[in-house]
Amino acid sequence: MSNHPNSCASCACDSDATPDSPRQPAFLKRYWRESVSGLLLAIGMSLDYNASAPAFDGWNRLIYYLAAYIPVGWPVILQGIRHLKQGDLFTEFFLMSLATVGAFAIGEYPEGVAVMLFYAVGEAFQGSAVRRARNNIRSLLDVRPTTCRVVRPGGTEEREAVSIQPGEKIQIRPGERIPLDATLLSDNAALNASALTGESIPMHRKAGEELLAGMINLQGVIEAEVTRTYDHSAIARILELVESAASRKAKTELFIRKFARIYTPAVVALALMVVFLPALWVSEYLFEEWLYRGLVFLVISCPCALVISIPLGYFGGIGAASRNGLLVKGGEVLDALTQIRTVVFDKTGTLTRGEFSVQTIQIVEEYEEETLSLLYAVESGSTHPLAQAVTTHLESRATNPPTISSQNELAGQGITAQSGGRTILVGNASLLQANDVPLCERPDESNGTAIYIAVAGECRGVVTLADELREEAAQAVQELRSLGVTKMAILSGDRLEHVRPLGETLKIDRVYGGLLPEEKAELLGRLVQSETGRVAFVGDGINDAPVLAQSDVGIAMGAMGSDVAVETADLVIQHDHLTGIPTAIRIARATRRIVWQNIALAMGVKLLVMSMGAAGHATLWEAVFADVGVALLAILNAIRIQSIVK
């Protein structure tokens, strides 16, 4: 969880299990140290209070409790020695080792074992919580196909994707996701690259061009040559980004780390004062009694509850976000989300779905019925998203569709077909121009895409399609208002007259259109400087990367987002649902609330019991509760984040 040398997370108490191991060891195998020490401690204490066990005394008793202590104590002592060699004396490991060895020195064997045992149990809770959060994140992200078809001389062979090496040839069928980064060998390919680029219009690739893992093959069987291994693909790089999220510390977490480095040597000095200073004024000074009080003070003062539970609180917040389809890149992002007061949206692929629907149909009136039937017949034979949108729209209007004798789809242009001896063209302007067919009246394509239909060399009409508004957009805006977001804006490259109605529908405060990427960045920069609170930008695709980087919190849409957008963004909405933004804010606020609850709990209980210990009114058992017990409560409180936000 943390690489800080003072972090209890680095304790070796749970070193026999790794969070990323695919098969989790059995309970006893993972927690054998805690189990052995706990069992021996329970038996030893029962023997202590059993008058019929007179042999359990002296050296026998010491050796027995040492056997109970070593499984949980030795790893901590080793960690303390390692940090001591690095010049780092005042660590939790040093405090716990000093206190427990001191307890043995004055004959308080059960207390010494109990302190270290509960410390180890706290470590086990922490490790379990971290594994749970990290596994949530990995299972959410790792959607890569696990197998792929390798081309062989006699056909294809299905193999594990992790075993495929650069240079091998693979086959991808229609509807399948490309498992590895590769170079296209087939003549051309139509691809759904919205997960990687944010662009809703299918992407066309020619032989020799690059294919990225995560793209979906839309039509025809294609072959490609692998260029990067499974672990170095585009999606793998995203996994690495999220796995390193915990290294980006929140300000609260960083403050506690710095505080612990000052606090620890200070309490060691105070503990020494508790032991030796009373000799100056206490007439019946007993060194053993005041050493015990000093040890109690030392155990109580250990900052484990803070240095364990606070980073764990933020990591728990990241895990809770992952369960809700949100990838948060560190505690500092959670902190920033709690202060969001302005949200700025991109339009296409963000507020809109990236799925096309027919907006207008303009057909030469005298040929309308025949032309619509021809258009339906041609488009129904294609798997292209634009063709499917047209087919869906015309299902109830096209009557008696004619038979299409032949059909050829041209990547990036459209379809040529034959029906009744006539050539039918359905596609963009370049298709008609390439066949010397004069265009019909050209519609405004700034907010949509035009598909022309020509029959026997004559343009019969044009269909315009546009992106649809996301169904949840209005709900997301309303929820953001209820969470205290006071201002919202749209920055779009589309013409202002096409963006303004969207802003009015969603009741967005400011709408800007016709912007180039650099103009978006300039406008957002002004908003960041002028607005109170933090400013978030929500976008997708490569062209939004500069604005995502410039905002206080960059939010990327898309299951994987574009490579650049995901690398730049602070928060990635995996499920492509705008309500993920208010959900992220609620998770961030819950995380911050629990973190401050843990700080108040740890400091309040410690100050109370430290004063009792110095006055001689607390034993090592109360010290165990004040240290490890509070740490356990704080850890359990931190784990709550993953269940209180659904």
Side-chain angles (χ1 to χ4, degrees):
M1 179 178 68
S2 169
N3 295 322
H4 190 283
N6 275 9
S7 172
C8 296
S10 55
C11 177
C13 298
D14 198 27
S15 59
D16 57 313
T18 59
D20 298 323
S21 57
R23 295 182 60 193
Q24 301 296 339
F27 178 85
L28 288 177
K29 183 177 180 181
R30 172 175 289 150
Y31 302 118
W32 69 269
R33 295 187 179 95
E34 295 86 347
S35 302
V36 169
S37 290
L39 178 63
L40 291 177
L41 176 62
I43 295 173
M45 292 181 67
S46 67
L47 291 174
D48 274 337
Y49 293 101
N50 188 348
S52 63
F56 191 66
D57 200 359
W59 284 103
N60 291 334
R61 185 168 179 265
L62 171 61
I63 292 170
Y64 181 88
Y65 278 113
L66 280 174
Y69 176 83
I70 288 172
V72 290
W74 184 242
V76 177
I77 293 172
L78 283 179
Q79 286 282 29
I81 293 171
R82 290 192 191 104
H83 288 299
L84 182 61
K85 289 179 179 178
Q86 298 169 6
D88 195 3
L89 173 62
F90 296 107
T91 64
E92 288 84 13
F93 314 115
F94 168 77
L95 282 179
M96 299 306 296
S97 301
L98 181 61
T100 53
V101 169
F104 269 82
I106 61 174
E108 301 291 347
Y109 308 147
E111 287 95 329
V113 175
V115 169
M116 196 62 81
L117 173 62
F118 279 100
Y119 177 80
V121 170
E123 286 294 294
F125 268 86
Q126 181 201 15
S128 176
V130 169
R131 277 191 299 274
R132 179 182 174 189
R134 183 171 288 143
N135 289 339
N136 282 341
I137 294 170
R138 291 190 64 88
S139 63
L140 175 73
L141 263 181
D142 204 354
V143 295
R144 293 169 289 181
T146 57
T147 62
C148 61
R149 294 178 193 84
V150 180
V151 177
R152 298 297 186 208
T156 61
E157 173 190 351
E158 191 161 314
R159 283 174 49 193
E160 295 291 327
V162 292
S163 68
I164 307 301
Q165 296 300 314
E168 295 192 69
K169 296 178 183 179
I170 58 174
Q171 182 189 89
I172 305 99
R173 295 176 182 174
E176 292 182 344
R177 193 181 295 272
I178 296 173
L180 301 153
D181 294 352
T183 300
L184 182 64
L185 297 176
S186 302
D187 292 337
N188 56 69
L191 305 160
N192 178 350
S194 59
L196 299 174
T197 66
E199 177 56 64
S200 53
I201 298 176
M203 177 182 293
H204 296 276
R205 286 284 188 262
K206 296 179 182 178
E209 294 185 328
E210 185 179 33
L211 308 179
L212 295 177
M215 292 180 173
I216 298 173
N217 180 24
L218 293 176
Q219 58 189 42
V221 177
I222 61 173
E223 292 185 357
E225 182 177 314
V226 175
T227 55
R228 283 188 283 268
T229 61
Y230 191 78
D231 292 333
H232 292 87
S233 66
I235 298 177
R237 293 196 295 275
I238 298 169
L239 272 169
E240 291 170 7
L241 282 171
V242 180
E243 282 292 313
S244 64
S247 65
R248 297 175 64 180
K249 307 297 182 187
K251 289 183 179 179
T252 308
E253 187 177 352
L254 291 172
F255 168 75
I256 292 298
R257 294 291 183 196
K258 294 176 183 177
F259 170 76
R261 295 187 69 84
I262 299 171
Y263 170 86
T264 305
V267 296
V268 171
L270 287 173
L272 291 172
M273 293 170 65
V274 168
V275 175
F276 295 108
L277 285 183
L280 301 177
W281 65 79
V282 176
S283 57
E284 297 182 3
Y285 175 79
L286 293 175
F287 175 75
E288 184 174 298
E289 176 186 344
W290 288 97
L291 176 60
Y292 185 84
R293 293 190 188 188
L295 293 173
V296 170
F297 187 90
L298 201 61
V299 172
I300 297 168
S301 63
C302 183
C304 286
L306 293 175
V307 297
I308 290 177
S309 64
I310 292 171
L312 182 59
Y314 283 105
F315 203 90
I318 294 171
S322 73
R323 291 181 63 193
N324 286 271
L326 308 168
L327 305 179
V328 180
K329 296 184 184 176
E332 63 182 22
V333 178
L334 289 173
D335 271 357
L337 282 167
T338 65
Q339 303 168 42
I340 294 296
R341 296 295 177 268
T342 302
V343 177
V344 182
F345 298 94
D346 174 44
K347 174 181 169 287
T348 305
T350 302
L351 290 173
T352 58
R353 295 179 58 83
E355 296 177 3
F356 287 88
S357 62
V358 173
Q359 302 297 303
T360 63
I361 298 179
Q362 301 171 18
I363 303 294
V364 177
E365 188 173 351
E366 61 183 295
Y367 301 117
E368 182 174 0
E369 185 176 341
E370 179 192 23
T371 304
L372 289 177
S373 295
L374 284 168
L375 179 61
Y376 177 82
V378 173
E379 294 285 57
S380 61
S382 172
T383 59
H384 195 287
L386 293 178
Q388 291 176 343
V390 172
T391 302
T392 301
H393 184 81
L394 293 179
E395 277 178 344
S396 61
R397 296 182 60 182
T399 58
N400 301 318
T403 301
I404 303 299
S405 57
S406 66
Q407 183 164 317
N408 182 34
E409 197 152 344
L410 304 174
Q413 290 189 317
I415 301 170
T416 63
Q418 296 291 322
S419 177
R422 296 178 298 176
T423 300
I424 315 298
L425 303 177
V426 178
N428 56 26
S430 65
L431 177 64
L432 270 65
Q433 291 165 350
N435 288 273
D436 298 321
V437 177
L439 295 177
C440 312
E441 182 179 346
R442 299 191 69 166
D444 178 8
E445 295 187 51
S446 62
N447 194 39
T449 300
I451 294 178
Y452 296 87
I453 178 169
V455 180
E458 179 187 0
C459 184
R460 292 278 188 90
V462 61
V463 179
T464 58
L465 300 98
D467 215 348
E468 293 182 332
L469 177 68
R470 291 181 181 273
E471 295 176 359
E472 77 280 4
Q475 178 190 349
V477 169
Q478 184 178 356
E479 288 185 28
L480 287 170
R481 296 279 188 205
S482 68
L483 289 169
V485 175
T486 56
K487 294 181 181 178
M488 296 188 210
I490 300 175
L491 302 183
S492 176
D494 290 343
R495 291 171 59 180
L496 181 59
E497 55 265 35
H498 295 299
V499 184
R500 187 180 287 118
L502 182 66
E504 292 172 354
T505 300
L506 296 175
K507 299 180 181 179
I508 301 292
D509 305 299
R510 305 178 194 177
V511 175
Y512 302 89
L515 301 175
L516 297 173
E518 58 268 25
E519 292 172 325
K520 279 187 179 182
E522 182 183 348
L523 260 173
L524 188 81
R526 293 208 296 265
L527 286 172
V528 171
Q529 293 297 323
S530 62
E531 300 296 338
T532 56
R534 300 294 186 96
V535 177
F537 179 81
V538 190
D540 68 321
I542 294 171
N543 63 339
D544 289 324
V547 201
L548 288 166
Q550 196 168 7
S551 60
D552 294 317
V553 179
I555 303 174
M557 300 290 289
M560 269 75 68
S562 75
D563 250 2
V564 178
V566 169
E567 296 231 11
T568 307
D570 303 298
L571 167 67
V572 180
I573 302 177
Q574 279 292 97
H575 48 57
D576 234 15
H577 208 275
L578 283 169
T579 54
I581 305 169
T583 299
I585 293 175
R586 283 192 287 268
I587 289 172
R589 291 180 180 176
T591 300
R592 191 171 181 82
R593 186 167 58 248
I594 283 179
V595 164
W596 281 105
Q597 286 173 0
N598 284 347
I599 292 173
L601 172 69
M603 295 307 298
V605 173
K606 281 182 181 297
L607 289 173
L608 173 64
V609 184
M610 281 168 70
S611 60
M612 291 173 59
H617 300 305
T619 67
L620 273 176
W621 292 106
E622 283 85 358
V624 167
F625 171 76
D627 173 42
V628 184
V630 171
L632 285 173
L633 291 175
I635 290 167
L636 292 172
N637 195 32
I639 293 172
R640 278 198 315 127
I641 298 171
Q642 299 202 37
S643 59
I644 63 176
V645 183
K646 295 289 186 181

